[in-house]
Amino acid sequence: MGSIQQQTQAIRDSWLRRGIASPGNFALMLGTFILFPFAARWTDAFKFGSIDLDSPLHTRAIVRFCLFLLVFEWAWFLIAWFGIRRFGKVTFAELVGGSWQRASRVFVDVGIALGVLVVLLVLGTGMQQLLSRFEAPSAPLHSMVPRNVLEASAFLAAALTAGFVEEFVFRGYLQRQLTAWSGSVVLGSALQILLFIQGHYFQGLIRLIPVGVFGLLFTLLALWRKSLRPGMISHGLGDGFSPILFLVKHI
């Protein structure tokens, strides 16, 4: 009996030591994902979708929405960063991967990121035209086009943050953690992409299709390059493409 208990305990201890953060830290991360929609409803963070685009209230709602996203995005980053630091199996630099010690490596990563950005824009435009016919006119995404400099600035801050944080959390922290626990890169990737999709539900059910496609693309990019840097750049610029164009035209 004692031998069986020792083996059971050894298996449990081995499982708890896997991954790059503790199960408790991972549970905390999942808890914030669950809290996200309830907090959004409580704060009316997504109210902008029901406000007339030309109303001054729309700008206030957009800024509130972006601030809400920024709070959660940075909370996710801090949970992941604290988790890996305390567990001590991987450093921040190792999780991000790649190296910019040489200028040539910077150019390669930036070049790949820009190439992926082109793919994102082409795919995004194509899917938008295809899916818009199945989407209600009041869908939140229709209200996520900046109408003034303040809205564009708020959107850009949220977009650049999302590019950095979401790649670090999803393609970094969650990818490594779920792969280690499941013992499968494919399963770990699939679970990570599913979590990425559910975090974007506020864009509407139809829009979860391109979110899943983009999540798969960023995952393949991270696995191929063994680095989050190109994905961070292309993700941030892709999300921020509309506000960047607006600011270039109006400033």
Side-chain angles (χ1 to χ4, degrees), residues 49 131-143 203-204 206-207:
L131 298 175
S132 59
R133 67 188 66 181
F134 305 105
E135 200 171 36
S138 59
L141 195 66
H142 295 169
S143 297
Q203 295 183 9
I206 293 295
R207 292 292 163 177

Side-chain angles (χ1 to χ4, degrees), residues 6 31-32 42 45-46 51 71 93 102 141 150 172 174 200 228 232:
Q6 290 176 353
T32 61
W42 179 61
F46 303 148
I51 300 176
V71 168
R102 298 178 183 176
L141 195 66
L150 182 56
L174 289 174
H200 292 77
L228 304 179
M232 287 176 172

Side-chain angles (χ1 to χ4, degrees), residues 201-213:
Y201 86 98
F202 63 87
Q203 295 183 9
L205 187 60
I206 293 295
R207 292 292 163 177
L208 296 184
I209 297 174
V211 168
V213 172

Side-chain angles (χ1 to χ4, degrees), residues 78-105:
L78 289 174
I79 291 171
W81 175 78
F82 183 77
I84 64 171
R85 182 174 181 182
R86 183 163 185 175
F87 216 54
K89 283 195 173 183
V90 62
T91 65
F92 173 84
E94 290 170 341
L95 189 59
V96 172
S99 172
W100 280 1
Q101 294 181 349
R102 298 178 183 176
S104 60
R105 293 182 177 178

